[in-house]
Amino acid sequence: MGKFIIDGGHKISGEIDVQGAKNAVLPILAATVLADGASEIHNCPSLRDVDKTDQVLEGLGCTVSRGDHTVTVDAGGIKCCRICEELMREMRSSIVFLGAIIARCKEAVVSMPGGCPIGLRPIDLHLKALRALGIDISEEHGYIKCRADRIKGADIHLDFPSVGATENIMLAAVTADGVTTIQNAAREPEIIDLGLFLRAMGADIRGIGTSVITIKGADKLHGAAYTIMPDRIVAATYLAAAAATGGSITLKKANPRDMGAMLHVLREMGADIRCVGDTITLTSPERLKSVHTIKTMPYPGFPTDIQSPFMALAALADGTSVFVENIFENRFQHVDELTRMGADIKVTDRSAVVRGVKQLSGANVVARELRGGAALIIAALAANGTTTINGTEFIDRGYENIESYLSACGAVIRRE
Ligand code: UD1
């Protein structure tokens, strides 16, 4: 297990270019399977999850080459329709390959993605929707086996606007016979990014970014070049790092239009935020103010992924803030660790009441999942003294070279 060792109390100030979005690049790489030729994906973040996705693609028989933040995938030679259990276990999001593989190969076999530290993460909505598209699915011995000689367009109503299920339906439906409508579709910006890439491949998709997506199946898709959108969660994490330490930061290559709910909360906490084009500048207040209640919701609501990093801010704010986690049932694992650093947080069921303290203090803590790990980094940067954060491998899943970006902005952080 790797560690970050952080000497707190140094302001995070400077400029950061925001990396490409992890939650957009993974489904887009899965979509490359649909083409008979090569696709060139730019602005891919250098992350372990992207390397694992490349391995999934190679396992399917695609030729994958990586340059500086560019991944080229030639799916012309695809010969396998199975994802090995080890990769499925390591990366739950590989489930999004299901729709793409079945569309390309007429069959797909993936192992059942197990639980994950933040909650159960069921896939019933994915399977119900794929069945509605005429795909025959059996679940045996921990594997999901899918077959369909022809995928048929259908009207699908999602009980919840699931991001993963919306992506899987889009991938399965773009080459289906006839028209597919997704009602109550997810509206996340990453869904728009996937939709735009599919359009660049020749797909006929309307309504992306709204809750009704209409897809007219195309006979064939071709490879395309595409640039991944900026990572809105990484951007908000760096803004939070500056806000927690009383610093001032400018993010470049960001997209403030995707970040409304998060910027709104930072402003409510007293930060001065200016957005010009793809640049966001945050200047911290003397002391952060508490926020009344933050409830995680599907987009355009407040994202579950930034709940924990913003809880680290609330832990230092003047007053009491309440967080309600509506998306995942086990996403408060950072609370015990923040408490070790002196935070005053009480959890009941899906709510956390955070009474802000004047100062956190360095401690030995453990990151148990990606965003909870980011929350500990923010707390450690602001804390008095030295913090050791174990479990860097979780943080590396979503943040490219986090220690280099933060060091360049004044953090005293090293990896061991
Ligand atoms: C979710 C987030 C997404 C985030 C990603 C990584 C939401 C709505 N989605 O996407 O923004 O980037 O995690 O952290 O915030 N569910 C079912 N059955 C299913 C699928 C989902 O019951 O078949 C439930 C889940 O248990 C959860 C909710 O729906 O409560 C959201 O799931 P979904 O959007 O599918 O999750 P991800 O695609 O992982």
Side-chain angles (χ1 to χ4, degrees):
M1 219 191 236
K3 293 175 188 170
F4 282 128
I5 297 164
I6 298 175
D7 289 333
H10 301 277
K11 286 187 179 178
I12 299 301
S13 291
E15 265 184 29
I16 290 179
D17 282 355
V18 178
Q19 70 184 56
K22 170 175 98 74
N23 292 336
V25 73
L26 303 183
I28 285 175
L29 286 173
T32 61
V33 163
L34 295 166
D36 206 0
S39 294
E40 210 174 84
I41 312 301
H42 302 288
N43 201 31
C44 292
S46 298
L47 298 172
R48 218 183 57 165
D49 276 15
V50 176
D51 296 339
K52 295 283 166 197
T53 308
D54 291 350
Q55 284 177 30
V56 171
L57 290 163
E58 279 166 353
L60 297 172
C62 302
T63 308
V64 182
S65 55
R66 283 196 80 153
D68 181 30
H69 292 99
T70 293
V71 177
T72 307
V73 184
D74 189 339
I78 200 158
K79 57 182 183 300
C80 170
C81 61
R82 177 183 273 265
I83 302 179
C84 79
E85 187 174 344
E86 193 196 326
L87 283 171
M88 276 306 290
R89 275 191 193 276
E90 272 196 63
M91 212 178 42
R92 242 202 129 274
S93 48
S94 321
I95 192 68
V96 80
F97 271 92
L98 199 56
I101 300 175
I102 180 82
R104 178 71 197 276
C105 306
K106 310 215 180 298
E107 61 178 315
V109 182
V110 301
S111 79
M112 195 73 103
C116 112
I118 61 174
L120 281 174
R121 305 186 89 173
I123 54 162
D124 55 311
L125 299 174
H126 300 233
L127 301 185
K128 189 173 159 198
L130 295 177
R131 283 189 174 111
L133 292 170
I135 298 168
D136 185 32
I137 303 178
S138 59
E139 296 166 65
E140 299 163 16
H141 310 297
Y143 277 86
I144 303 165
K145 295 184 179 171
C146 302
R147 260 208 89 79
D149 289 332
R150 286 167 58 202
I151 299 178
K152 294 182 210 94
D155 284 337
I156 296 170
H157 186 283
L158 287 174
D159 295 334
F160 181 88
S162 154
V163 173
T166 304
E167 289 165 349
N168 247 330
I169 303 167
M170 288 165 73
L171 292 168
V174 277
T175 53
D177 287 348
V179 176
T180 299
T181 315
I182 315 173
Q183 307 273 354
N184 201 24
R187 291 180 285 163
E188 268 68 0
E190 293 76 13
I191 298 277
I192 302 181
D193 224 32
L194 173 62
L196 293 176
F197 175 59
L198 289 169
R199 264 193 207 154
M201 296 174 85
D204 182 345
I205 305 190
R206 292 169 204 194
I208 43 172
T210 77
S211 50
V212 183
I213 297 178
T214 307
I215 303 165
K216 202 166 145 208
D219 289 341
K220 218 171 164 8
L221 298 185
H222 51 77
Y226 194 73
T227 300
I228 301 291
M229 63 178 273
D231 195 310
R232 61 198 172 101
I233 305 298
V234 168
T237 303
Y238 288 130
L239 293 178
T245 55
S248 150
I249 199 167
T250 297
L251 302 181
K252 294 191 159 164
K253 299 186 185 171
N255 186 351
R257 290 169 299 285
D258 289 343
M259 297 176 61
M262 301 182 276
L263 298 182
H264 176 75
V265 169
L266 288 168
R267 286 190 173 114
E268 222 182 309
M269 295 184 99
D272 178 60
I273 296 179
R274 301 197 179 188
C275 304
V276 181
D278 66 357
T279 301
I280 306 174
T281 301
L282 175 144
T283 311
S284 304
E286 270 303 283
R287 185 167 179 207
L288 292 163
K289 291 183 283 191
S290 59
V291 267
H292 187 261
T293 310
I294 293 181
K295 294 181 181 169
T296 63
M297 304 280 264
Y299 189 85
F302 187 86
T304 175
D305 279 352
I306 207 72
Q307 175 256 108
S308 47
F310 276 31
M311 197 181 289
L313 286 185
L316 285 159
D318 185 14
T320 299
S321 312
V322 177
F323 288 74
V324 182
E325 174 54 61
N326 289 312
I327 309 295
F328 293 114
E329 65 277 14
N330 196 17
R331 217 169 192 185
F332 284 144
Q333 291 178 79
H334 49 283
V335 168
D336 282 351
E337 307 303 308
L338 289 175
T339 307
R340 288 173 83 91
M341 299 178 72
D344 179 352
I345 307 173
K346 299 278 174 295
V347 173
T348 315
D349 197 18
R350 286 185 173 228
S351 301
V353 177
V354 186
R355 288 192 183 80
V357 295
K358 282 230 162 84
Q359 183 68 265
L360 295 173
S361 56
N364 204 353
V365 293
V366 181
R368 297 199 162 82
E369 45 94 14
L370 163 60
R371 307 298 172 188
L376 298 179
I377 290 191
I378 291 166
L381 291 170
N384 188 12
T386 303
T387 300
T388 302
I389 304 174
N390 295 278
T392 49
E393 59 276 20
F394 288 111
I395 299 165
D396 292 337
R397 291 189 85 137
Y399 296 87
E400 176 180 297
N401 295 327
I402 192 165
E403 72 272 36
S404 321
Y405 284 116
L406 288 172
S407 300
C409 289
V412 179
I413 173 170
R414 68 176 202 278
R415 186 189 284 264
E416 263 184 13

